[in-house]
Amino acid sequence: MLELTLNQVTKKYKDLCAVDHVEAVFTHGVYGLLGANGAGKTTLLRLMCDILRPDEGEILLDRNPINRLGASYRRFLGYLPQDFGFYPDFTAERFLLYMAALKALPSLEAKRKTAELLAMVGLEDSKNKKIKTFSGGMVRRLGIAQAMLNDPEILILDEPTAGLDPKERIRFRNIISSFSKDRIVILSTHIVSDVEYIADEILLMKKGRFLQQGSVENITKQVRGRVWELVTDHAGAQRLNGLYAVSNLKNQGDKVAMRILAQDSPAPGAVCVEPMLEDVYLYYFREEAE
């Protein structure tokens, strides 16, 4: 079983500490890296892909520093960056075959994997179309396919569902769930639903540090007793919205149903309910959300 270890990893840009003494151990499973924009997620993933080098600390694969492993580390790795570059005049099939050649896949294996992945991400019927004609969601699906070409044991995905519609998001979650067996999958996002149902472990990142690490169940326990639901009139809803963090608000005729984060009951009739991961996200990232 592979073990990827972050040991006091730190990366600074002048006066900004983008990643601040981060520690974690990744083994097989899906890890959801959650945080608002600017939390340091992309910098951390680039460090884990050995694109950037840490200013302090080290990243180890089975106790070996990844910067010393070189090409042998990259053979383990599949990576989808947040800004996925491509050749617009290439067809989807040609692009994947080109990327397979860069990853040193034998010709027959490259053709087999290309066909398999185009079908997996729903681009089989568009394989001969130029990428410049693709929608944003189609380009993102092509990016996911190229990250999986070499059947990586470590798959790192930065905002992989950006531009995907709800149906495509479900397809993506199913692909990752089936692919993650005996692999390390690290998925960075600020969209809670992308990881809530498939992640074995959640890492909440803010200002370059991990605030919380653990299973969805253990993470949500952190705000147990602080999530309330109630129904009130529009004036009451407006007042409560100004006082508390509101994770959900729904108009019901002349009434408003609300889900509120508060230490104590926010209003008469409020009922304490079980928290969800979205409540935890709002609890820790309320300022960024606003």
Side-chain angles (χ1 to χ4, degrees):
M1 180 184 293
L2 286 181
E3 184 175 280
L4 188 64
T5 304
L6 309 182
N7 183 16
Q8 292 289 312
V9 174
T10 301
K11 183 66 179 178
K12 298 177 181 177
Y13 298 107
K14 295 184 179 179
D15 296 329
L16 173 67
C17 190
V19 176
D20 189 2
H21 296 89
V22 164
E23 289 198 337
V25 177
F26 302 94
T27 54
H28 293 165
V30 179
Y31 295 83
L33 180 59
L34 277 176
N37 291 329
K41 303 188 304 297
T42 292
T43 297
L44 179 61
L45 297 190
R46 288 170 67 85
L47 288 164
M48 295 172 71
C49 292
D50 202 31
I51 297 168
L52 298 175
R53 296 287 170 85
D55 296 315
E56 299 176 34
E58 58 184 354
I59 302 172
L60 309 170
L61 179 64
D62 292 340
R63 301 184 181 180
N64 298 301
I66 63 170
N67 62 324
R68 295 182 191 170
L69 294 173
S72 63
Y73 177 64
R74 287 189 288 277
R75 281 196 288 271
F76 286 103
L77 189 66
Y79 175 49
L80 174 65
Q82 188 171 10
D83 298 313
F84 168 56
F86 58 89
Y87 297 98
D89 285 318
F90 276 27
T91 65
E93 183 178 52
R94 184 184 173 196
F95 176 75
L96 289 184
L97 289 171
Y98 171 74
M99 294 302 295
L102 292 182
K103 296 183 180 189
L105 268 67
S107 178
L108 289 177
E109 184 182 351
K111 290 177 181 178
R112 180 185 64 79
K113 287 297 293 184
T114 292
E116 176 187 312
L117 288 167
L118 285 170
M120 182 183 290
V121 300
L123 291 175
E124 189 175 25
D125 293 339
S126 303
K127 66 180 182 180
N128 294 319
K129 294 180 180 178
K130 291 186 176 181
I131 304 172
K132 65 183 178 183
T133 67
F134 282 11
S135 67
M138 292 170 75
V139 170
R140 209 66 190 156
R141 282 187 273 153
L142 184 63
I144 293 166
Q146 69 79 30
M148 300 170 72
L149 267 172
N150 58 327
D151 202 22
E153 293 186 59
I154 303 170
L155 182 62
I156 295 178
L157 305 168
D158 194 357
E159 300 288 351
T161 61
L164 301 188
D165 63 31
K167 183 179 178 182
E168 291 173 325
R169 274 198 157 86
I170 293 169
R171 181 205 292 267
F172 166 77
R173 290 202 297 265
N174 292 339
I175 289 170
I176 295 304
S177 291
S178 61
F179 185 78
S180 64
K181 181 177 170 55
D182 300 328
R183 292 177 173 86
I184 298 170
V185 178
I186 301 167
L187 193 165
S188 167
T189 185
H190 61 278
I191 301 170
V192 175
S193 60
D194 283 351
V195 295
E196 185 165 16
Y197 299 109
I198 63 170
D200 299 294
E201 188 164 326
I202 299 292
L203 302 99
L204 295 179
M205 191 171 189
K206 184 175 183 179
K207 296 181 179 177
R209 291 182 172 234
F210 288 159
L211 299 179
Q212 295 286 341
Q213 295 175 244
S215 65
V216 172
E217 181 182 0
N218 287 333
I219 291 286
T220 54
K221 281 181 183 177
Q222 306 300 316
V223 296
R224 187 168 287 166
R226 300 175 187 176
V227 184
W228 306 81
E229 288 186 349
L230 73 152
V231 177
T232 184
D233 57 26
H234 287 273
Q238 188 172 3
R239 180 182 65 83
L240 292 168
N241 203 24
L243 294 173
Y244 300 102
V246 177
S247 63
N248 195 37
L249 185 151
K250 183 178 181 181
N251 288 307
Q252 297 179 341
D254 60 349
K255 298 291 184 181
V256 180
M258 304 184 73
R259 188 177 179 94
I260 291 173
L261 282 162
Q263 295 280 6
D264 303 302
S265 175
V271 177
C272 192
V273 296
E274 280 295 303
M276 299 186 297
L277 190 58
E278 194 170 65
D279 300 312
V280 180
Y281 186 90
L282 183 62
Y283 179 79
Y284 284 107
F285 303 106
R286 181 183 180 184
E287 293 176 3
E288 286 85 346
E290 291 175 347

